[in-house]
């Protein structure tokens, strides 16, 4: 009965909690009738909830005395069963961050450094193949080393380091890493907010002399980022700030704050850039610089760069870490170096071990996602400052006694998107044990899984997981090798799938913090976030697509992402935090709709009724539309083709997303108790839908543009009057048939395609699209060896041509959510899975599925098998059917009628009210595990 899996703000025993009202969650394996929760700090209770009736065991908000910055807290909780019995207390801890700017006394310190070279490139430059002529070592600059010596007295019992940088940093205390974070503090909209981390460094301190060492590089602040590879988009000089708080047994506290006492010098890097890569010379590393006793007398003093602490905010969620290591699957020697195949497109960097290297020996590490068809080296992503190349210069020399000396190196301040690496400059053959791929990602808990009896579906799911892992790195990015931008359109298309696979609420909440910070004064939500001053300048100077600042379907992420998180988790706070930003975006849409007419109607005399309808529709301006619609890309160069779908679809998709966002705002307002606003937004959404139907849908349910995506979104967002839905859906199916039962949907419509078909009576067509293996299709990619989700369906064309596209773009992988909900059959029917339906699709074309998702109440899982799949010609695994005595569903494995037998085993956590709907039967599921046999079809 004892509660377990205790969390604060989704994390286990976190330090650095950044809200004064942290929320507590736990799991219980009982029907909870009430709970009691206590929080203490400094040896006294600061909140005792007393018995609280109800089954709620998630996101219970703190309601006690005001919690102090950097306070260490203990909390405990117990549950009461429906029989009135109390469980034992279960306890855990959490610690507060620095919660107010006034908690900071440190100065920003700026090491002596050369200014970052400001490179300004445009999308046109990228298309034309322009770029810098000088090599990286002539344009880039070295990271800096900083040392801060301090004394620690006797009796130190607790030490917390709070630190951040304008740039990226690694911190060390007496030679030990302060934590296991990578590329701290991560990517932020630095002009509005800068996250700082919290680290427990107690064990690293010693009485007497101590030293804090910091390595500081350009990172996202001054490095080359984005599509254009332009540098110094936020600033040209790096700086850092930190405070080390040391608590002593006698109750006193010592604060070691960054100041002019810090010393600095250039380190062993010639340069370190997120995109370009690193050049590291082991011979130039000052041995012992991170430890006490090192002589830094020749190092330079730092400059104090101000004490403005207003932008400092506690880091939210889990940082970027080394989350996996992947060993090579093959090594191939070529004239230009050893090509190492890791068997998987991934995001990270190499760790290399060298044996008997000569002093000054230069080893070059190149990275790419794919090889040419003949197995030769091929770079699928080229562009300005996209080298993805690291260089290591060995120290060499024999160790004492003449024994072999091995050098090991992993880059510190860069990462790459790759499956293959080419290593050159070696004097001896590379062996597999001497190289490993280190996978980097925001360290999110993996909460879901999907597997079936079909290997290709399994690979599809695995590809989605790998693309999510690789692109959820500090912010949700579009790709890990070309842009790494936090595109709003990509994540709004994928957020449902993201919640299935991982615990993403803190990660996406932090990103939404940046989105709100980047929102323009007129209410526009930028197409990506974080957004730099250079991004604003570039958009203002550009024409066409490059000038887009906000766009339908992209900017609507401010509504779609929070709402989806709420639906999947029941987290009201994510709605509270983003509600006002939603309203500001809605107001921008309303004002624009009232002021502008579509270009085709400019100068046209409109009847009063039509003019009123047009004034409701946000249907003007430049948008990306249904981006990368396959039929619009065929037979054309990419830079020409990408503008076709926007031109054809934007006028129609923009008001569709306008209606969708209004509906979300109405629902969010209702959740937040703002009933008048809920009614007003619902009415406006109905007005937009009516105006859209009158303007764009004819009496036969036909839309002006005959592309699948326009029909999909019109049906998904209820833009079609009920009496016309059947005709519109039939027209969509006709378009699919004309394409040879292949999809023709872009970024915005693909997430809704299969659901729209199922919801309108065409589940067979949805299944046909899922199993389609001709391009464009999900399985086409699988059949061509994809290990992640591609940006375009034909990144490798049917004739084997490799196109210059990303092989790691998660957005089209939104189909994974459909696999969970429709094939496995796990579907939430109220926020946070408080109620759920298990509805397996025994006609999906597989005969076994195993899947689970994480819910606020625990793991909700289903395993099902079916003999019908084998009858349809698919291989059925050797797995016995099992039907327990007294199953709520009649029939058994031995009494199957003509359609076969399905067996469903479900694990329902306490707190979830679930039903099993299958084979014409609808029954309640008890908590815990139950197994049921179902007769399928037959006479």
């Amino acid at each position: 009965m004892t509660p377990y899996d205790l969390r604060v703000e989704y994390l286990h025993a976190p330090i650095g909690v950044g809200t004064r009202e942290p929320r507590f969650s736990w799991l219980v394996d009982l029907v909870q009738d009430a709970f009691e929760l206590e929080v203490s700090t400094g040896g006294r209770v600061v909140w005792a909830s007393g018995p609280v009736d109800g089954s709620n065991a998630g996101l219970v908000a703190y309601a006690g005395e005001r919690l102090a910055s950097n306070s260490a807290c203990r909390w405990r909780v117990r549950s009461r069963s429906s029989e009135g019995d109390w469980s034992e207390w279960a306890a855990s801890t959490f610690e507060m961050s620095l919660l107010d700017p006034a908690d900071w006394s440190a100065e920003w310190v700026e090491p002596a450094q050369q200014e970052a070279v400001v490179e300004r490139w445009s999308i046109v430059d990228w298309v034309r193949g322009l770029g810098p002529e000088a090599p990286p070592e002539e344009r880039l600059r070295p990271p800096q080393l900083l040392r801060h010596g301090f004394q620690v007295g006797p009796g130190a019992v607790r030490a917390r380091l709070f630190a951040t940088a304008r740039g990226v940093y690694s911190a060390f205390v007496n030679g030990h890493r302060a934590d296991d974070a990578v590329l701290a503090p991560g990517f932020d909209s630095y002009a509005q907010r800068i996250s700082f981390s919290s680290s427990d460094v107690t064990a690293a301190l010693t009485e007497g002399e101590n030293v804090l060492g910091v390595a500081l590089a350009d990172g996202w602040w001054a490095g080359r980022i984005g599509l254009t590879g332009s540098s110094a988009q936020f600033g040209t000089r790096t700086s850092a700030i930190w405070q080390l708080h040391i608590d002593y047994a006698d109750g006193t506290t010592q604060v070691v704050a960054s100041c002019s006492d810090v010393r600095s010098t250039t380190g062993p890097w010639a340069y370190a850039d997120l995109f370009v890569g690193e050049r590291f010379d082991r011979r130039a590393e000052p041995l012992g610089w991170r430890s006490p006793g090192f002589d830094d007398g020749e190092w330079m003093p730092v400059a104090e760069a101000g004490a403005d602490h207003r932008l400092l905010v506690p880091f939210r969620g889990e940082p970027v870490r080394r989350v996996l290591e992947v060993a090579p699957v093959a090594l191939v020697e070529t004239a230009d170096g050893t090509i190492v195949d890791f068997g998987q497109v991934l995001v990270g960097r190499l760790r290399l071990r060298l044996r008997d290297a000569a002093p000054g020996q230069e080893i070059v590490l190149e990275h790419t996602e794919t090889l040419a068809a003949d197995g030769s080296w091929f770079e699928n992503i080229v562009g300005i400052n996209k080298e993805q190349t690291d260089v290591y210069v060995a120290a060499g020399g024999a160790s004492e006694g003449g024994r072999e000396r091995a050098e090991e190196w992993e880059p510190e301040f860069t990462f790459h998107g790759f499956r293959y690496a080419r290593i050159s400059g070696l004097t001896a053959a590379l062996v597999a044990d001497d190289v490993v791929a280190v996978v980097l990602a925001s360290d999110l808990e993996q909460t879901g899984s999907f597997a079936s009896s079909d290997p290709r579906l399994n690979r599809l799911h695995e590809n989605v997981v790998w693309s999510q892992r690789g692109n959820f790195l500090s912010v949700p990015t579009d790709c890990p090798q070309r842009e790494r931008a936090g595109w709003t359109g990509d994540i709004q298309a994928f957020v449902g799938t993201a919640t299935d696979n991982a615990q993403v609420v803190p990660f996406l909440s932090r990103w939404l913090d940046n989105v709100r910070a980047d929102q323009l004064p007129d209410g526009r939500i930028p197409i990506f976030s974080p957004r730099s001053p250079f991004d604003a300048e570039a958009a203002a100077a550009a024409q066409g697509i490059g000038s887009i600042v906000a766009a339908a379907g992209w900017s609507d992420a401010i509504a779609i992402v929070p709402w989806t998180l709420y639906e999947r988790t029941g987290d009201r706070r994510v709605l509270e935090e983003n509600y006002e930003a939603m309203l500001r975006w809605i107001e921008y849409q309303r004002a624009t709709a009232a002021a502008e007419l579509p270009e085709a109607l400019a100068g046209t005399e409109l009847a009063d009724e039509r003019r009123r309808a047009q004034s409701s529709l946000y249907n003007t301006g430049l948008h990306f539309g249904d981006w990368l619609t396959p039929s619009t890309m065929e037979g054309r160069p990419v830079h020409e083709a990408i503008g076709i779908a926007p031109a054809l679809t934007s006028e129609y998709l923009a008001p569709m997303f306008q209606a969708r966002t209004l509906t979300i705002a109405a629902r969010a307002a209702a959740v937040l108790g703002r009933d008048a606003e809920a009614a007003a937004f619902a009415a406006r959404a109905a007005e937009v839908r009516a105006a859209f139907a009158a303007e764009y849908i004819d009496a036969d349910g036909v839309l002006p543009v005959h592309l699948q995506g326009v029909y999909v979104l019109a049906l998904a967002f209820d833009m079609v009057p009920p009496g016309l839905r059947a005709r519109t859906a039939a027209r969509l199916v006709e378009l699919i048939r004309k394409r040879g039962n292949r999809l023709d949907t872009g970024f915005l419509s693909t997430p809704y395609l299969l659901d729209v078909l199922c919801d309108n009576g065409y589940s067979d067509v949805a299944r046909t699209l899922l199993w389609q293996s001709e391009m464009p299709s999900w399985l086409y990619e699988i059949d061509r060896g994809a290990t992640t989700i591609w940006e375009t369906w034909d990144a490798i064309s049917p004739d084997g041509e490799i196109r210059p596209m990303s092989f790691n773009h998660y957005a089209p992988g939104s189909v994974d959510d459909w696999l969970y909900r429709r094939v496995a059959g796990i579907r939430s029917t109220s926020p946070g899975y408080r109620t759920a339906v298990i509805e397996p699709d025994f006609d999906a074309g597989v005969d076994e599925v195993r899947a689970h998702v994480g819910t606020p109440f625990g793991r909700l899982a289903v395993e099902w098998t079916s003999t019908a799949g084998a009858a349809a010609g698919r291989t059925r695994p050797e797995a016995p059917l099992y039907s327990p005595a007294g199953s709520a569903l009649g029939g058994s494995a031995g009494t199957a009628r003509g359609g076969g037998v399905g067996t469903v085993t479900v694990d329902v956590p306490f707190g979830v009210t679930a039903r099993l709907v299958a084979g014409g039967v609808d029954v309640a599921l008890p908590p815990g595990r139950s197994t049921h046999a179902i007769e399928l079809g037959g006479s």
Side-chain angles (χ1 to χ4, degrees), residues 701-723:
V702 175
L703 289 136
V705 173
H706 304 306
L707 289 172
Q708 294 175 26
V710 176
Y711 282 80
V712 167
L713 288 172
L715 290 163
F717 294 168
D718 294 324
M719 308 304 292
V720 182

Side-chain angles (χ1 to χ4, degrees), residues 344 457-467 787-788 816:
Q344 172 66 54
L457 280 194
N458 298 344
R459 184 70 251 188
L460 173 59
H461 167 72
E462 291 164 9
N463 289 3
V464 173
V465 171
W466 273 102
S467 281
T787 61
T788 40
D816 200 45

